[in-house]
Amino acid sequence: HLNFSAGNNENSIEAHIGINGEANLDFLNIPLTIPEMTLPYTTLTTPLVKDFSLWEKTGLKDFLKTTKQSFDLSVKAQYKKNKDEHIIPIPFYAKDFQVLSTPNDIFIPAMGNITYDFSFKSGIITLNTNVGLYNQSDIVAYFLTSSSSVTDALQYKLEGTSSLTRKRGLKLATALSLSNKFVEGNHDSTFSLTKKNMEASVTTSAEVQIPILRMKFKQELNGNTKSKPTVSSSIELTYDLNSTATGTINHKLNLESLTSYFYIESSTKGDIKGSVLSLEYSGTIASEASTYLNSKSTRSSVKLQGASKVDGIWN
């Protein structure tokens, strides 16, 4: 069943589509037979597959319960008009003749607000998506997409916003977030530009949890040109490979620059420990490096340290 509507008036333009129906998945009950096949250019032969039921053998029977699946889909888009206008002046020059009436300006309507909404519902999963672009004192973009399901692995939420501020210079701010049973993450960034300074800040974090791996990651980046151009960066990583290997990694970087000199330094530290075949092992590594450069001289230094241990073999 299909529904469609659309409208246009002095305030907005919008359209809506709605579909609901039923999907028949009886074809998944048809047994499949795949004969033996020799892979080209090899001596490998795939095994015979006989009377294989996708519905029975892949778990779809327990997951979907029935081959008759109903669904509802809805899509809506709307544009709200902006009564404001941008004025572009046009000079008109006439030397040898007179014009009784001439347009001196071009009027362009200002951008309005745009929204988009999507939803899909079935017996297995529900999906929703909302997107918006708003032109107000700031320009703001927003989106949200999410799902809900009887299966935790199919549930997620992804959300993001971005805003552009035009007061006292330009400032762009962005935020993203993702959540799921196995992955979570966040991202925040800010970029600003004024007549006297440029500044940036970025932070990203993520966490992964799956049966064979647990991992946390964080990265920060900052920079500005207030008194002198500087950039700093840091990365932190921890991991656990099902207890067979666990460790951390840390990295830092700093940079300074002027017309008279250039300086950069970095450091990295890492460690690991675990066990293989009942043997416990561990290791560490650390490095530091720096460089200073000006018109008269150059200085550099590098330092590296490491250690490792395996029980009963070496230390």
Side-chain angles (χ1 to χ4, degrees):
H1 187 255
L2 172 65
N3 292 317
F4 174 77
S5 63
N8 182 10
N9 54 49
E10 62 178 0
N11 295 317
S12 65
I13 302 172
E14 61 182 51
H16 176 260
I17 299 175
I19 303 175
N20 58 72
E22 189 172 273
N24 190 339
L25 305 179
D26 283 340
F27 66 92
L28 296 174
N29 271 317
I30 301 174
L32 299 177
T33 298
I34 304 174
E36 290 184 352
M37 291 184 294
T38 301
L39 299 178
Y41 310 109
T42 71
T43 58
L44 300 176
T45 301
T46 61
L48 170 67
V49 178
K50 189 175 182 179
D51 296 334
F52 182 83
S53 171
L54 291 172
W55 180 254
E56 298 280 348
K57 301 297 184 181
T58 61
L60 290 175
K61 180 180 179 180
D62 299 325
F63 183 57
L64 301 180
K65 306 301 183 183
T66 175
T67 56
K68 301 296 189 294
Q69 295 293 317
S70 60
F71 68 91
D72 290 286
L73 183 146
S74 175
V75 178
K76 182 180 180 181
Q78 184 182 65
Y79 175 74
K80 288 190 176 181
K81 300 176 182 179
N82 192 334
K83 301 284 180 74
D84 296 335
E85 294 178 322
H86 297 297
I87 302 175
I88 302 177
I90 298 180
F92 190 90
Y93 300 99
K95 293 184 179 179
D96 301 325
F97 58 90
Q98 293 182 346
V99 179
L100 296 178
S101 177
T102 60
N104 295 323
D105 300 313
I106 293 179
F107 296 89
I108 300 177
M111 183 185 75
N113 298 332
I114 303 171
T115 57
Y116 169 84
D117 300 292
F118 169 87
S119 68
F120 175 83
K121 297 180 181 180
S122 71
I124 316 165
I125 193 171
T126 298
L127 300 173
N128 289 288
T129 299
N130 309 102
V131 180
L133 180 62
Y134 306 96
N135 181 25
Q136 299 167 348
S137 57
D138 300 336
I139 297 177
V140 179
Y142 169 81
F143 75 87
L144 170 65
T145 176
S146 62
S147 70
S148 59
S149 173
V150 293
T151 303
D152 291 341
L154 296 180
Q155 297 188 96
Y156 75 92
K157 182 180 179 181
L158 176 62
E159 187 174 11
T161 59
S162 184
S163 63
L164 178 64
T165 303
R166 294 163 288 182
K167 296 179 181 178
R168 297 183 298 275
L170 293 175
K171 181 179 180 180
L172 177 65
T174 302
L176 298 171
S177 66
L178 169 66
S179 60
N180 175 260
K181 179 181 180 181
F182 304 115
V183 180
E184 290 188 0
N186 291 279
H187 171 85
D188 293 281
S189 64
T190 303
F191 298 92
S192 61
L193 178 65
T194 64
K195 294 181 179 180
K196 297 181 179 181
N197 181 42
M198 180 172 63
E199 190 169 357
S201 174
V202 179
T203 302
T204 303
S205 62
E207 185 171 351
V208 177
Q209 292 191 16
I210 57 178
I212 62 171
L213 172 66
R214 294 195 303 272
M215 182 182 71
K216 291 183 179 181
F217 171 84
K218 184 176 182 180
Q219 183 262 342
E220 293 183 356
L221 177 66
N222 296 282
N224 65 74
T225 60
K226 289 181 179 178
S227 58
K228 55 187 174 183
T230 61
V231 176
S232 64
S233 171
S234 66
I235 296 175
E236 299 177 7
L237 174 67
T238 62
Y239 59 90
D240 184 343
L241 290 167
N242 203 22
S243 298
T244 60
T246 62
T248 62
I249 298 175
N250 293 278
H251 175 75
K252 293 183 179 181
L253 174 71
N254 293 293
L255 183 148
E256 296 180 5
S257 178
L258 282 174
T259 55
S260 58
Y261 77 93
F262 174 84
Y263 177 72
I264 183 172
E265 65 175 354
S266 68
S267 64
T268 303
K269 296 180 180 180
D271 64 78
I272 185 173
K273 63 180 180 179
S275 62
V276 176
L277 300 176
S278 300
L279 293 176
E280 294 188 355
Y281 66 89
S282 62
T284 61
I285 188 172
S287 68
E288 297 179 359
S290 64
T291 298
Y292 177 87
L293 173 67
N294 62 22
S295 59
K296 297 181 179 180
S297 64
T298 301
R299 298 193 305 270
S300 296
S301 66
V302 176
K303 182 180 180 181
L304 179 64
Q305 292 179 320
S308 63
K309 176 183 178 181
V310 179
D311 285 350
I313 298 179
W314 79 72
N315 185 358

